[in-house]
């Protein structure tokens, strides 16, 4: 088989990557540099178009609509606001939010931010909210950053007005005014150093005269420049400092006051670097110009803001070689494109330790600037860091620590905030980011692999038949480009069909559901050029379909979460490998019971062919000689390699007891992911076997006298305290209480009950449990880790696991007592007195009909599973039994093998 499509091995499992993604979306953000929001009445004075551009007026601001940052912002905002994907529609929707829900909208935009460190020195300060106002939208009180150039300019304005009104003139007066300016400036800075609400200082010398700060300040020239401003104050319309010496003096003075302050906890100076509006002189905005100043004040912490864009590597270098220098990577979110943002993060991390990196929104005026910054940051962090983890450049645990350091801990330490780290609350089923779209998830998935030919959207029906719809990749992408949904119309009859598409007679082929793909389940394969994901069925209104098996399992997971329980499931895939015999006589059906070759029976929608059991050289459980066959060995190796490339890491693979029978063991995952992975793994195995000239079957009892084929399930309660007996014993007591009804889902076919035997390591026929007892349907392994043996590959695993989990969760909720004793031997060998002592009194149903009767008769079980689901399931299974009853034993065996 050509396995070139398999690709390079990932160094991380899906669950590890999900843990990283969860940390990125759940880590609270200390926004170490932001600006106040505008008062509601002032919002219309300023162009909303500026939220993704540093151009603030004229034609430059209007040309922003043709930029990548603008288009991305429109798409993200339109998805969140549920409006058309146009700027006009976004503006109208935001205006409506301001009218209808201004406070709620602001809260939504600032969601996830722990606290804001606010530079309140922007222009239009009368239009801005004060610092305390922002506290209503953060978990921790906001703090202030003092802009030193504004402090200096405000003092000059006061002195200038006083000078104009004074009759005194001359150099002495101007020198006294200069001294007064210095004293007033020092006083304000010293007060800020002592003020617990002030955590840092900010310099915009980059805007005024550039970052090439002189190492010393010429006092004579500084006094002359100051005197020139004051003596001509009435003519200048003074607002800002633009004199080199005076600006240099302001930053040096601030640094000296911080350096000489008695506190050991020095407050940082933040420097605007790089990216800015048209006031800036770009050639002087590189942080490299600050190197001499940095050297001059080794005890004064300094933060280089905005990643220095486009001088990111200079920022990273300075932060890496000077202990007191830190790199901030704000403002680029959302002011540059996604690719640019990823380059910023990658270039900073090339050299700079992440313990020296901070993050900020540079949010200002509009709450949407905060929303877009946080949304895009989480998207980019997920893309870049997941790529590093997959490539093995960093372990996933270290990547999680990196995220927490950059978003929270580094700022918490640098600004002496002393905030306790508490993760953000997350809704069940949250996606990669708080506003992540399916398109973003799909982009992330495709990032490190070539585009596929087809996208599969899969489901498992009431007969456990794997079904799917396949969409050409070009068409699938066009749905995103056109802003259309990727869900698919499926007839409501989907949950009334048996394997040959016959419909339960009481149902009609009318109506439709919508099959919504779950992009978190994306996997490559199962064949070259395909990618697959599993879907859940919804009504046109978007409401969940009660009959959907996957949604029922999600219901169980949600109920567990509501009661503080979470779970891990791990499946064993037992399968029988058969070999295709090309050109063989198909005129007769040969029996499997004697291990002879058997005919793949021609029937509706099947092609004739011939399969035979593998040649046996003493095949038995765990024997090694079977892998000497190079064809079999290669197929099994290809299975493991293919799964490995998809992030599914097989834990064990070995021969089972019957001829050609093997077992492949999957790792544990959360329930939905575990079942999705099980079904996808089977598809991969079937595809590879077919390509190699083999056939795989999951038939529960392919040989009457040999061991059967099961789908044993390992379960554990993974939430804190799950291994305590007071937690897991009521859970498994609930499972045992309803095990007879559960059997309708785990043993769903007449062939299932051919395997249900005593003394065959199949879990036996009695309702009981035992520690390490393979003759019990529930085998305790250790703590909450138990194994369900009473299940095979013909079961719909969504239904089966939903039934088990719901039973166990209700057992936990009701405090069920584990009245069954630990059965240490084959239950079939217990005496009546032994059974009475151990509480072993019930047997599992002996047929599908008996299991359905037990299901319908368990009223409590029906109530929490759902009456509608139970009735439909029973209707489908009874219709299927009628159809199978028309076949002879060998015909039915072959018919099942064709399909499972």
């Amino acid at each position: 088989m050509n396995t070139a499509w398999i690709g390079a091995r990932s160094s991380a499992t899906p669950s590890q990557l999900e843990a990283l993604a969860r940390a990125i979306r759940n880590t609270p953000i200390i926004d170490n540099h932001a600006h106040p929001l505008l008062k509601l009445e002032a919002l219309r004075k300023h162009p909303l178009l500026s939220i993704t551009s540093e151009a603030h007026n004229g034609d430059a601001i209007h040309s922003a609509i043709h930029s990548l940052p603008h288009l991305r912002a429109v798409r993200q905002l339109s998805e969140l606001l549920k409006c058309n994907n146009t700027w006009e529609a976004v503006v109208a929707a935001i205006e409506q939010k301001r009218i209808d829900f201004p406070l709620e909208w602001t809260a939504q935009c600032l969601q996830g931010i722990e606290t804001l460190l606010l530079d309140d020195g922007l222009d239009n300060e009368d239009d801005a909210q004060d610092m305390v106002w922002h506290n209503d939208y953060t978990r921790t009180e906001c703090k202030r950053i003092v802009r030193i150039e504004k402090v200096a300019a405000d003092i000059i304005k006061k002195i200038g007005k006083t000078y104009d009104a004074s009759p005194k003139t001359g150099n002495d007066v101007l020198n006294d005014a200069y001294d007064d300016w210095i004293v007033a400036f020092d006083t304000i800075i010293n007060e800020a150093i002592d003020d617990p609400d002030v955590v840092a200082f900010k310099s915009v010398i980059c805007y005024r005269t550039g970052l090439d700060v002189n190492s010393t300040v010429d006092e004579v020239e500084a006094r002359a420049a100051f005197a020139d401003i004051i003596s001509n104050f009435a003519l200048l319309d003074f607002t800002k400092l633009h004199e080199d010496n005076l600006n240099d003096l302001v930053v040096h003075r601030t640094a000296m006051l911080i350096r000489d302050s008695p506190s050991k906890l020095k407050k940082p100076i933040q420097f605007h670097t790089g990216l800015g509006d048209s006031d800036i002189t770009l050639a002087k905005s590189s942080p490299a110009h600050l190197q001499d100043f940095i050297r001059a004040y080794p005890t004064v912490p300094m933060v280089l803001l905005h990643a220095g864009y486009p001088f990111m590597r200079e920022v990273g270098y300075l932060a890496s070689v000077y202990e007191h220098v830190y790199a901030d990577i704000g403002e680029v979110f959302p002011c540059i494109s996604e690719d640019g943002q990823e380059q910023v993060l990658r270039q900073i991390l090339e050299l700079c330790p992440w313990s020296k990196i901070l993050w900020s929104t540079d949010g200002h005026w509009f709450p949407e600037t905060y929303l877009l910054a946080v949304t895009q940051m989480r998207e980019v962090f997920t893309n870049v860091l997941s790529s590093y983890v997959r490539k093995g450049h960093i372990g996933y645990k270290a990547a999680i620590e990196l995220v927490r350091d950059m978003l929270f801990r580094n700022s918490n330490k640098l600004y002496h905030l002393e905030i306790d780290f508490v993760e953000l609350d997350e809704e069940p089923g949250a996606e990669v980011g708080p506003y992540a779209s399916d398109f973003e998830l799909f982009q992330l998935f495709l990032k490190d692999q070539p585009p596929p030919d087809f996208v599969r959207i899969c489901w498992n029906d009431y007969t456990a038949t794997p079904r799917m719809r396949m969409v050409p990749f070009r068409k699938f992408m066009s749905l995103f480009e056109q802003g259309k949904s990727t869900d698919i119309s499926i007839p409501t009859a989907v949950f009334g069909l048996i394997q040959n598409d016959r419909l339960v007679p009481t149902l009609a082929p009318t109506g439709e559901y919508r099959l919504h793909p779950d992009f978190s389940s994306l996997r490559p394969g199962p064949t070259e050029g395909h990618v697959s994901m599993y879907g859940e069925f919804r009504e046109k209104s978007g409401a969940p379909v009660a009959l959907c098996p996957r949604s029922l399992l999600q219901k169980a997971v949600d109920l567990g979460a509501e009661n503080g329980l979470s779970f891990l499931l791990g499946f064993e895939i037992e399968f029988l490998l058969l070999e295709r015999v090309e050109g063989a006589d198909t005129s007769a059906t040969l029996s499997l019971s004697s291990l002879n070759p058997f005919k793949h029976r021609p029937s509706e929608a099947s092609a004739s062919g011939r399969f035979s059991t593998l040649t046996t050289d003493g095949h038995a459980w765990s024997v090694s000689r079977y892998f000497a066959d190079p064809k079999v060995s290669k197929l099994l190796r290809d299975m493991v390699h293919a799964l490995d490339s998809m992030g599914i890491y097989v834990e064990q693979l070995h021969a089972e007891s019957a001829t050609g029978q093997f077992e492949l063991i999957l790792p544990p995952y959360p329930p939905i992911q575990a079942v999705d992975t099980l079904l996808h793994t089977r598809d991969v195995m079937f595809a590879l076997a077919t390509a190699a000239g083999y056939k795989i079957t999951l038939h529960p009892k392919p040989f009457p006298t040999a061991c059967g084929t099961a789908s044993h399930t390992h379960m554990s309660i993974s939430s804190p305290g799950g291994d305590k007996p007071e937690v897991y014993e009521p859970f498994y007591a609930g499972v045992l209480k309803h095990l007879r009804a559960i059997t309708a889902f785990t043993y769903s076919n007449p062939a299932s009950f051919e395997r249900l035997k005593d003394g065959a390591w199949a879990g036996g026929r009695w309702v009981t449990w035992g520690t390490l007892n393979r003759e019990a349907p529930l085998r305790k392994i250790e703590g909450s880790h138990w194994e369900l043996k009473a299940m095979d590959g013909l079961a719909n695993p969504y239904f089966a696991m939903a039934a088990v989990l719901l039973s166990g969760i209700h057992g936990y909720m009701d405090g069920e007592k584990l009245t069954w004793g630990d059965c240490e031997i084959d239950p079939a060998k217990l005496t009546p007195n032994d059974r009475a002592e151990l509480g072993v009194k019930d047997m599992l149903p002996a047929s599908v009909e008996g299991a359905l009767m037990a299901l319908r008769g368990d009223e409590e079980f029906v109530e929490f599973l759902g009456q509608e689901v139970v009735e439909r399931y029973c209707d489908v299974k009874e219709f299927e039994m009628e159809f199978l009853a028309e076949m002879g034993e060998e015909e039915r065996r072959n018919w099942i093998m064709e399909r499972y």
Side-chain angles (χ1 to χ4, degrees):
M1 175 191 175
N2 179 10
T3 57
W5 68 280
I6 289 174
R9 173 172 177 157
S10 168
S11 295
T13 66
S15 59
Q16 291 170 344
L17 293 174
E18 170 54 26
L20 172 59
R22 191 182 306 115
I24 292 170
R25 63 181 180 256
N26 288 357
T27 295
I29 296 165
I30 294 178
D31 187 349
N32 96 108
H33 182 80
H35 305 277
L37 294 173
L38 292 172
K39 297 172 182 175
L40 190 60
E41 61 271 17
L43 284 168
R44 290 181 180 83
K45 296 181 184 179
H46 304 277
L48 185 63
L49 201 54
S50 65
I51 60 176
T52 60
S53 174
E54 278 293 339
H56 289 171
N57 49 53
D59 291 338
I61 185 65
H62 295 296
S63 65
I65 62 173
H66 303 296
S67 70
L68 293 179
H70 174 83
L71 296 178
R72 185 178 178 210
V74 170
R75 176 171 55 79
Q76 291 174 328
L77 288 171
S78 64
E79 287 179 359
L80 180 62
L81 293 163
K82 308 299 182 187
C83 66
N84 290 334
N85 187 26
T86 67
W87 178 242
E88 293 75 16
V90 167
V91 172
I94 289 174
E95 288 286 353
Q96 198 63 46
K97 288 283 190 183
R98 292 174 181 174
I99 294 169
D100 296 340
F101 309 105
L103 303 183
E104 293 85 349
W105 175 240
T106 300
Q108 188 172 359
C109 289
L110 271 64
Q111 184 178 359
I113 295 177
E114 177 73 37
T115 189
L116 299 170
L117 310 187
L118 291 169
D119 165 18
D120 54 10
L122 277 179
D123 296 337
N124 307 296
E125 59 182 310
D126 291 339
D127 289 342
Q129 303 283 5
D130 62 27
M131 183 182 72
V132 175
W133 179 90
H134 294 78
N135 291 340
D136 289 341
Y137 302 99
T138 58
R139 295 203 302 187
T140 304
E141 288 186 357
C142 302
K143 298 295 183 180
R144 184 173 173 232
I145 298 169
V146 173
R147 183 179 289 205
I148 58 177
E149 287 82 8
K150 187 175 187 304
V151 170
D154 286 348
I155 299 170
I156 288 176
K157 289 177 187 176
K158 292 179 181 178
I159 292 174
K161 291 176 182 177
T162 303
Y163 180 85
D164 277 351
S166 172
K168 298 180 180 179
T169 59
N171 289 337
D172 288 344
V173 173
L174 291 172
N175 281 328
D176 288 345
Y178 176 85
D179 293 337
D180 289 344
W181 177 58
I182 295 296
V183 170
F185 181 82
D186 287 0
T187 299
I188 292 174
I189 297 302
N190 280 323
E191 288 174 350
I193 289 173
D194 295 334
D195 187 346
D197 285 333
V198 174
V199 294
F201 299 90
K202 159 81 176 292
S203 171
V204 291
I205 194 172
C206 184
Y207 275 106
R208 303 293 177 258
T209 53
L211 294 176
D212 53 341
V213 179
N214 288 317
S215 57
T216 59
V217 177
D218 188 309
E219 179 80 9
V220 174
E221 291 186 4
R223 286 181 178 274
F226 182 85
D228 188 55
I229 293 172
I230 297 300
S231 59
N232 295 288
F233 189 79
L235 303 175
L236 290 176
D237 189 24
F238 176 84
T239 56
K240 300 174 182 177
L241 274 176
H242 291 287
E243 289 72 23
D244 287 356
N245 274 288
L246 295 182
N247 276 298
D248 290 352
L249 175 66
V250 166
V251 294
H252 276 289
R253 197 92 195 157
T254 303
M256 287 188 289
L257 292 171
I258 295 171
R259 179 195 63 193
D260 297 339
S261 67
S263 173
K264 293 182 179 180
L265 302 177
K266 307 298 184 185
K267 293 183 179 180
I269 305 176
Q270 298 181 343
F271 285 92
H272 180 108
T273 67
L275 184 64
D277 62 35
S278 57
D279 283 351
I280 211 163
T281 301
L282 186 62
K284 292 185 176 183
S285 69
S286 167
H289 291 296
L290 281 172
Q291 192 164 10
D292 287 342
F293 183 86
I294 288 169
R295 288 170 175 159
Y297 300 99
T299 62
V300 178
M302 300 182 196
V303 179
L304 308 179
L305 294 172
H306 314 321
Y309 183 89
F311 308 105
M312 292 83 73
R313 287 190 168 102
E314 285 90 332
V315 169
Y317 168 78
L318 292 170
S320 69
V321 298
Y322 294 104
E323 181 182 2
H324 60 300
V325 176
Y326 295 80
D328 162 77
I329 52 171
E331 192 180 10
V332 292
F333 306 90
C335 286
I336 67 175
S337 71
E338 182 178 3
D339 285 345
Q341 292 166 358
E342 291 189 6
Q343 284 301 312
V344 167
L345 182 56
R346 291 179 189 277
Q347 288 188 17
I348 291 290
L349 288 172
E350 282 176 354
L351 182 63
C352 187
W354 69 72
S355 58
K356 303 293 291 296
I357 304 174
L358 317 173
W359 190 81
S360 66
T361 62
D362 196 44
H364 59 281
W365 294 356
F366 304 103
E368 295 79 17
T369 58
Y370 289 89
L371 184 152
L372 289 172
V374 171
T375 300
Q376 295 182 10
M377 174 276 292
R378 286 185 169 144
E379 177 183 310
V380 166
F381 272 43
T382 301
N383 291 350
V384 172
L385 299 180
S386 295
S387 175
Y388 285 159
V389 170
R390 283 195 297 270
K391 293 175 181 177
H393 295 176
I394 185 173
Y396 85 98
K397 290 183 179 179
I400 289 172
E401 295 307 302
L402 178 154
V403 169
R404 291 171 176 169
D405 285 349
M406 289 173 60
L407 297 184
F408 186 94
R409 291 173 182 154
N410 294 343
S411 288
N412 198 30
K413 180 179 179 181
L414 177 63
Y415 298 106
H416 318 299
L417 300 176
E418 298 182 356
I419 303 172
D420 291 334
F421 179 90
V422 179
E423 280 198 335
L424 301 171
D425 294 332
E426 179 176 64
E427 294 296 323
E431 296 180 336
V432 167
Y435 308 112
S437 67
D438 289 343
F439 182 59
E440 290 164 340
L441 289 168
F442 199 48
Q443 281 184 311
L444 176 61
F445 174 78
L446 295 174
K447 206 166 189 68
D448 296 327
Q449 58 184 323
D453 300 313
F454 295 100
V455 177
R456 296 184 180 204
I457 306 173
C458 311
W459 72 95
N460 205 250
D461 73 8
Y462 275 44
T463 65
T465 299
R467 298 182 185 265
M468 64 138 178
R469 287 292 182 90
M470 197 159 67
V471 183
F473 177 70
R474 184 183 297 275
K475 173 63 179 176
F476 200 75
M477 290 302 294
S478 74
L479 296 175
F480 284 124
E481 291 162 3
Q482 296 166 20
K484 296 181 179 178
S485 177
T486 54
D487 58 286
I488 293 174
S489 172
I490 302 289
T492 57
V494 64
F495 296 137
L497 299 173
I498 62 173
Q499 295 91 332
N500 60 355
D501 299 334
R502 293 186 182 181
L503 182 62
V504 172
T506 56
L507 301 178
T510 58
E512 71 168 25
Y513 296 136
R514 306 299 300 183
L515 177 62
H516 287 253
D518 179 354
F519 284 77
S520 70
S521 66
L522 271 164
R523 298 271 193 185
T527 58
E528 183 178 2
H530 291 208
V531 297
S532 301
M533 54 186 149
Y534 286 85
E536 61 181 22
F537 287 86
R538 299 181 195 166
E539 305 286 358
K540 287 184 179 180
S541 65
V545 172
L547 296 173
C548 175
R550 196 171 187 269
S551 296
L552 186 65
L553 180 54
Q554 185 63 58
K555 171 185 172 182
V557 172
D558 292 344
L559 181 65
E562 290 171 11
N563 287 275
L565 300 178
S566 58
F567 308 94
L568 291 175
L569 305 178
F571 291 99
E572 298 175 358
I573 303 177
E574 294 182 358
F575 62 96
L576 184 71
L577 191 61
L578 304 166
E579 191 168 13
R580 185 189 300 275
V581 180
E582 297 294 344
D585 177 20
T586 61
S587 61
T589 300
L590 300 178
S591 172
L592 272 170
S593 59
S594 61
L595 302 189
N596 287 333
F598 73 99
K599 173 176 167 292
H600 183 82
R601 183 180 182 275
S603 63
E604 47 192 317
S606 71
S608 64
R610 192 179 179 96
F611 297 92
S612 67
T613 55
L614 301 185
T615 303
T616 177
D617 291 319
H619 186 102
W621 173 75
S622 292
V623 296
S624 61
R625 69 175 66 90
Y626 218 96
F627 294 87
D629 183 333
K631 287 175 59 182
V632 172
S633 181
K634 181 179 185 303
L635 172 60
L636 298 175
R637 181 197 65 194
D638 287 347
M639 288 178 182
V640 173
H641 283 183
L643 293 168
D644 197 72
S645 73
M646 299 169 188
I648 302 171
Y649 301 115
V650 174
E651 298 208 332
Q652 290 186 42
L653 177 63
H654 61 85
E656 272 294 352
S657 182
T659 301
Q661 191 181 51
F662 299 90
E663 180 179 294
L664 182 147
I665 301 175
L666 294 175
Y669 296 112
I672 294 287
Q673 185 182 356
V675 175
D676 290 346
T677 302
L678 168 68
L679 295 174
H680 188 71
T681 299
R682 288 177 182 170
D683 279 347
V684 172
M685 294 166 63
F686 290 176
L688 290 170
T690 299
Y694 291 93
K695 160 76 176 173
I696 283 179
T697 181
L698 304 176
H699 193 293
K701 195 69 171 175
F703 309 119
T705 59
C707 286
T709 302
S711 183
H712 299 156
T713 306
H714 291 257
M715 304 176 288
S716 63
I717 301 173
S718 56
S719 44
D723 275 335
K724 295 180 179 178
E726 57 266 32
V727 175
Y728 69 77
E729 286 188 357
F731 177 88
Y732 288 112
V735 175
L736 288 166
K737 178 180 179 180
H738 299 290
L739 189 57
R740 284 175 48 80
I742 291 170
T743 303
F745 296 102
T746 61
Y747 286 160
S748 62
N749 191 283
S752 303
F753 292 89
E754 296 173 17
R755 174 179 167 271
L756 186 58
K757 306 288 185 184
D758 291 324
W761 289 30
R765 297 182 300 151
W766 291 89
V767 177
T768 189
W769 70 277
T771 301
L772 301 180
N773 185 350
R774 288 175 169 80
E775 291 296 348
L778 265 182
R779 177 171 76 104
K780 180 180 179 180
I781 298 172
E782 183 179 13
S784 71
H785 179 188
W786 292 38
E787 179 189 21
L788 175 69
K789 298 184 68 65
M791 180 171 161
D792 60 41
L794 275 56
N796 179 314
Y798 295 115
F799 271 149
M801 292 300 98
V804 170
L805 292 182
L806 285 170
S807 298
I809 294 165
H810 279 274
Y812 172 77
M813 292 167 60
D814 297 338
E816 287 291 345
K817 300 298 182 183
L818 191 61
T819 57
W820 296 263
D822 187 352
C823 184
E824 298 177 345
I825 64 171
D826 183 346
K829 297 180 179 179
L830 293 173
T831 66
N833 287 338
D834 292 335
R835 281 198 290 272
E837 184 177 338
L838 292 172
V840 179
K841 56 184 179 180
D842 295 318
M843 297 187 74
L844 296 175
S847 65
V848 173
E849 293 78 6
L852 295 178
M853 185 180 299
L855 171 58
R856 282 194 169 115
D858 191 335
E859 295 180 0
E860 182 183 3
F861 182 75
V862 171
E863 182 179 354
F864 58 67
L865 204 66
Q867 183 73 42
E868 186 180 3
V869 171
V870 171
E871 286 304 319
R872 177 62 61 86
Y873 184 79
C874 291
D875 288 346
V876 172
K877 299 311 293 184
E878 287 167 352
F879 184 56
E880 180 189 357
M881 293 309 101
E882 291 176 12
F883 174 73
L884 293 176
E886 298 172 0
M887 302 180 187
E889 181 180 348
E890 193 64 29
E891 179 183 12
R892 183 167 60 248
R893 185 189 305 275
N894 289 327
W895 194 88
I896 291 171
M897 285 188 172
E898 288 175 353
R899 287 159 177 79
Y900 300 97

